[in-house]
């Protein structure tokens, strides 16, 4: 069998519906929805906002547990504060990434920063859940926190790419991942084109944050997610519009393991899921002081 070459064709194109999560955070959820399930190894894709909040209007995600996967938070506008049951506490502001390996489990809260809550302002960001392979699900919780100015930026004419994970235009990403994953934030000026390596073995998707993309002759509008077939090893897209295009391009090697999932726990079997609930209820994931 020959190696696939060339650009990958479009598989699905869907608009991420509006939803409300946590304490009433407005999000566009690309998946999971009735129309689009997991895209192995990605379990969830939420775009919060963009929303202009009045003072005291900002909402967050009060204390809740996670086990068996990673939560990746990327803030574009506004700020979140987080606390967890190991005593960790921090703030994620514009451009910052928090790649949290929940592993064996913790309890955390994700709330709007005090400044955003008191004075209002714009909130926009992403939370993406990345599944862990069976062998890593029970490893100790771990954070990779990368401030905005430490995220490598790749550039070519009319194109800028913040390389959170993976590689773009010869620039390596900031984050170490458990399995091969690319997490790329592209900004394209009108008329600019990107040809990005996306191995045929990896699931791949393009989400438009702002502006309009065109890929394989199809327009991809704002809040739309395009997924790609495994028939090539590159993704080609361009900005056909008159305003800058901002898009996230994600690729990941599928784990191809059974998924037992309920709420904040993602394991391989029902027994492990039950154990996660039992451990949480018994306080074995801790509580936030
Ligand atoms: Fe969480």
């Amino acid at each position: 069998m020959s190696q696939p070459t060339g650009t990958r064709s479009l598989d699905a194109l869907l608009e991420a519906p509006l939803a409300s999560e946590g304490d009433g955070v407005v999000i566009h959820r690309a998946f999971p929805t009735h129309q689009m399930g997991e895209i192995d190894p990605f379990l969830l894709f939420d775009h919060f906002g963009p929303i202009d909040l009045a003072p005291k209007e900002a909402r967050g995600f009060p204390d809740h547990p996670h086990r068996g996967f990673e939560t990746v938070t990327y803030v574009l506008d506004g700020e979140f504060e987080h606390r967890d049951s190991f005593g960790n506490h921090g703030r994620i502001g514009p451009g910052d990434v928090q790649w949290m390996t929940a592993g064996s489990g913790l309890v955390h809260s994700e709330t709007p920063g005090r400044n955003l809550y008191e004075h209002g302002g714009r909130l926009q960001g992403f939370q993406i859940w990345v599944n862990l392979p069976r062998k890593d699900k029970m490893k100790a919780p771990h954070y990779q926190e990368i401030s905005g100015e430490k995220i490598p930026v790749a550039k070519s004419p009319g194109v800028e790419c913040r390389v959170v994970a993976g590689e773009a235009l010869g620039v390596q990403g900031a984050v170490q991942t458990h399995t091969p994953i690319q997490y790329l934030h592209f900004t394209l000026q009108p008329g600019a084109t990107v040809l990005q390596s996306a191995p045929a073995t990896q699931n791949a998707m393009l989400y438009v944050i702002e502006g309009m993309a065109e890929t394989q002759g199809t327009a991809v509008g704002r809040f739309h997610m395009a997924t790609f077939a495994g028939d090539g090893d590159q993704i080609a897209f361009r900005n056909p519009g008159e305003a800058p295009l901002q898009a996230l391009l994600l690729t990941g090697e599928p784990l191809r393991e059974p998924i037992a999932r309920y709420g904040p726990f993602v394991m391989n079997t029902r027994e492990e899921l039950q154990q996660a609930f039992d451990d949480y209820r018994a306080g074995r994931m801790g509580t936030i002081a």
Side-chain angles (χ1 to χ4, degrees):
M1 210 168 87
S2 63
Q3 286 297 104
T5 52
T7 57
R8 297 172 64 160
S9 57
L10 214 52
D11 184 17
L13 174 59
L14 285 169
E15 182 168 10
L18 266 179
S20 165
E21 270 295 305
D23 247 1
V25 185
V26 175
I27 57 162
H28 289 268
R29 171 163 294 170
F31 62 86
T33 65
H34 291 300
Q35 291 169 295
M36 196 179 271
E38 283 112 18
I39 303 180
D40 190 10
F42 302 100
L43 298 162
L44 172 141
F45 185 112
D46 281 351
H47 177 193
F48 352 103
I51 186 168
D52 291 307
L53 296 157
K56 310 217 159 81
E57 202 180 38
R59 294 289 176 267
F61 302 86
D63 306 8
H64 59 278
H66 292 294
R67 172 180 280 179
F69 62 100
E70 302 183 295
T71 66
V72 180
T73 308
Y74 178 33
V75 174
L76 298 185
D77 302 291
E79 56 182 14
F80 270 100
E81 266 183 53
H82 67 96
R83 280 170 202 280
D84 75 17
S85 50
F86 289 87
N88 296 303
H89 174 214
R91 202 186 68 91
I92 322 170
D96 301 345
V97 170
Q98 182 197 66
W99 197 293
M100 183 185 86
T101 304
S104 58
L106 47 68
V107 174
H108 77 165
S109 67
E110 300 156 283
T111 55
R114 193 184 309 161
N115 202 44
L116 177 66
Y117 181 76
E118 289 297 333
H119 303 291
R122 195 169 178 80
L123 177 68
Q124 175 166 219
F126 291 90
Q127 187 163 97
I128 289 160
W129 291 7
V130 178
N131 205 0
L132 285 168
R134 189 192 301 263
K135 66 176 177 55
D136 292 327
K137 281 189 180 290
M138 292 299 280
K139 70 184 284 183
H142 172 67
Y143 289 90
Q144 296 179 75
E145 286 189 317
I146 296 114
S147 62
E149 70 272 13
K150 296 240 171 78
I151 295 177
V153 179
K155 288 182 181 172
S156 70
V159 177
E160 199 177 282
C161 179
R162 305 190 76 223
V163 188
V164 176
E167 183 181 334
L169 300 163
V171 174
Q172 292 288 333
V175 165
Q176 298 296 318
T177 60
H178 288 83
T179 55
I181 282 169
Q182 302 197 94
Y183 187 128
L184 308 169
H185 177 189
F186 281 100
T187 303
L188 274 67
Q189 297 309 313
T193 295
V194 165
L195 194 58
Q196 168 63 35
S197 166
T201 53
Q202 296 187 12
N203 284 326
M205 67 204 80
L206 181 73
Y207 177 83
V208 173
I209 304 167
E210 216 166 80
M212 165 88 72
E214 188 189 296
T215 182
Q216 304 299 120
T218 303
V220 184
R222 196 179 187 198
F223 308 129
H224 283 67
M225 167 75 82
T227 61
F228 295 88
D231 54 356
D233 52 18
Q234 289 184 313
I235 286 171
F237 66 99
R238 63 184 282 269
N239 178 358
E242 279 162 17
L245 159 68
Q246 281 200 68
L248 288 190
L249 179 60
L250 302 184
T251 76
E253 198 70 37
L255 304 180
R256 296 197 172 86
E257 290 180 355
I259 293 175
R261 170 178 190 163
Y262 191 84
F265 305 124
V266 184
M267 306 303 292
N268 297 112
T269 68
R270 288 184 61 88
E271 291 69 28
E272 291 164 351
L273 202 53
Q274 187 58 51
Q275 187 65 51
F277 273 98
D278 292 348
D279 287 347
Y280 171 55
R281 284 204 203 95
R284 285 189 285 266
M285 294 182 191
T287 50
I288 299 178

